[in-house]
Amino acid sequence: MATDMVGIGSGTLQGFAAALLRAGGFTADQAEQTAAMLVWANLRGVDSHGVLRIPRYVEMVELGLINPAAEPRRVSGKGAVAVIDAQRAPGAVGMNLATQAAIELADVNGIGWCAVRAITHAGAIGYYVQQAARAGRVAIAMTASKPLMVYHGSKAEGVSTNPIAIAAPTSNPDRPLLLDMSTAAVAIGKIMAAKDAGQTIPAGWGVDESGRETTDPRKVKAVLPMAGPKGSGLSLMIEVLASVMVANPLISMALADGSDPGGNGLVAVLDPSAFGNNFTFDVDRLRTAIKALPLADGLDGVYLPGERGFEVMERRSRTGIPLAQGTRSRLVTLAKKLNVVAPEDLA
């Protein structure tokens, strides 16, 4: 482990994360749900979406961007479709509700589509589709937010980094096929992580205020889309599905008057039994076929979607979660501000 990293048990870290969020204004239930999602990301090695987000979440409560008094509720729907108004609840709370609603709808209809409007930062959305995969369902999740990413052909933010995640169950409930990707060349959280670690970033990740590429994470004003027009086009269509569809447009409003209507998300769940096939068996067979492909020169394995993350999770569950010095310092500083006792591994 690098000398600037501190390893901490996942249970300890999750308890500390929940305590910070609770002291920062979240309700106890909101804090527990959010901490579980953040530490899941850290366990999988997605530190950009882990506990380094906590100081910003607390700041969002202070600024009124997260509403701890929110009471999310269903406001419309038809057949297999439901719409939840989250009232700017913490993102994990809104997306957990959407996931459970979509699973329930799929149990009745074979498919469930739940849109949730006015959420806040949802974190690693693979967390939500994995819940459905554990229940033997296929799930797709997407979230949308304000402009953060350059639209291909422009030098200014025109779309967001809107992510998409898809999970399919296998015979191992804890090892689904799990794709979780941003439409940007890189998640903004990875730029935050580079700042915390005092590292530069690769070319092609982001641009500065003048629209020029930069390798200094402190100068990044906007990120670049994945695969140019493909990334910006996919992000735009997620905005249509997650935002325009629920009458909470984010991009057009932000570009028109600079307003920030929050964020939106959706979870779609399919019950494979509705298709009358032996789905899990065939997914396992597909997985075996891909793993048996000949290796490219210089590589040590063929990896399936989500597989590296599960391997990291197994390792970090045994050895602890390493935190960059910058993340550690910001969490300890926040703990002192909120009168929360930090774990000995961090203090």
Side-chain angles (χ1 to χ4, degrees):
M1 184 177 297
T3 57
D4 65 338
M5 306 293 269
V6 175
I8 181 170
S10 60
T12 299
L13 184 59
Q14 186 167 323
F16 180 47
L20 287 174
L21 292 165
R22 182 73 181 92
F26 283 45
T27 67
D29 181 59
Q30 291 170 349
E32 290 293 341
Q33 290 189 56
T34 303
M37 176 271 294
L38 293 173
V39 173
W40 181 87
N42 281 121
L43 276 170
R44 288 180 57 80
V46 190
D47 298 316
S48 58
H49 287 62
V51 296
L52 68 76
R53 298 277 181 164
I54 291 175
R56 175 55 181 166
Y57 285 180
V58 171
E59 181 183 40
M60 289 173 73
V61 173
E62 295 170 351
L63 295 172
L65 299 176
I66 289 178
N67 176 19
E71 297 181 356
R73 59 189 180 89
R74 293 196 193 190
V75 292
S76 62
K78 182 179 181 181
V81 175
V83 179
I84 294 174
D85 185 348
Q87 302 176 0
R88 287 186 181 261
V93 173
M95 289 297 287
N96 279 337
L97 284 172
T99 301
Q100 291 308 307
I103 291 173
E104 292 168 7
L105 288 166
D107 287 346
V108 175
N109 302 287
I111 184 172
W113 181 291
C114 185
V116 55
R117 71 185 185 210
I119 62 171
T120 52
H121 187 260
I125 63 172
Y127 178 74
Y128 311 108
V129 294
Q130 185 177 0
Q131 294 177 30
R134 281 201 181 107
R137 309 294 188 260
V138 175
I140 304 172
M142 309 175 200
T143 58
S145 63
K146 66 182 181 180
L148 297 166
M149 183 171 79
V150 171
Y151 191 84
H152 183 72
S154 170
K155 65 177 182 179
E157 301 99 317
V159 287
S160 190
T161 58
N162 297 344
I164 180 170
I166 306 172
T170 67
S171 56
N172 183 345
D174 293 322
R175 282 280 193 123
L177 295 183
L178 177 57
L179 173 72
D180 185 352
M181 55 172 273
S182 169
T183 51
V186 64
I188 288 176
K190 289 191 176 181
I191 295 175
M192 295 170 61
K195 285 183 186 178
D196 277 356
Q199 299 172 344
T200 59
I201 59 173
W205 278 19
V207 297
D208 61 19
E209 290 184 354
S210 301
R212 292 189 295 264
E213 287 192 26
T214 179
T215 59
D216 186 343
R218 298 168 300 177
K219 294 181 179 180
V220 172
K221 183 175 185 292
V223 293
L224 290 164
M226 169 199 69
K230 295 180 181 179
S232 56
L234 179 56
S235 175
L236 186 68
M237 298 312 294
I238 292 174
E239 166 70 4
V240 171
L241 293 172
S243 302
V244 178
M245 189 74 81
V246 295
N248 189 36
L250 307 178
I251 299 300
S252 56
M253 293 292 289
L255 295 180
D257 58 20
S259 62
D260 181 3
N264 303 303
L266 69 86
V267 181
V269 172
L270 288 165
D271 180 356
S273 69
F275 295 83
N277 58 26
N278 194 350
F279 182 76
T280 301
F281 172 81
D282 283 330
V283 172
D284 282 347
R285 188 162 62 173
L286 173 62
R287 180 174 59 174
T288 299
I290 296 297
K291 293 290 287 183
L293 290 171
L295 292 180
D297 292 343
L299 297 184
D300 59 1
V302 173
Y303 284 89
L304 298 165
E307 190 172 11
R308 289 182 188 274
F310 289 122
E311 290 183 356
V312 173
M313 178 175 281
E314 290 174 358
R315 183 173 68 251
R316 289 188 171 189
S317 294
R318 296 191 305 268
T319 64
I321 295 170
L323 296 180
Q325 180 62 40
T327 301
R328 172 186 176 276
S329 296
R330 291 192 301 116
L331 292 179
V332 170
T333 297
L334 181 64
K336 291 177 180 177
K337 175 184 174 182
L338 298 176
N339 294 316
V340 171
V341 177
E344 290 184 3
D345 289 342
L346 294 181

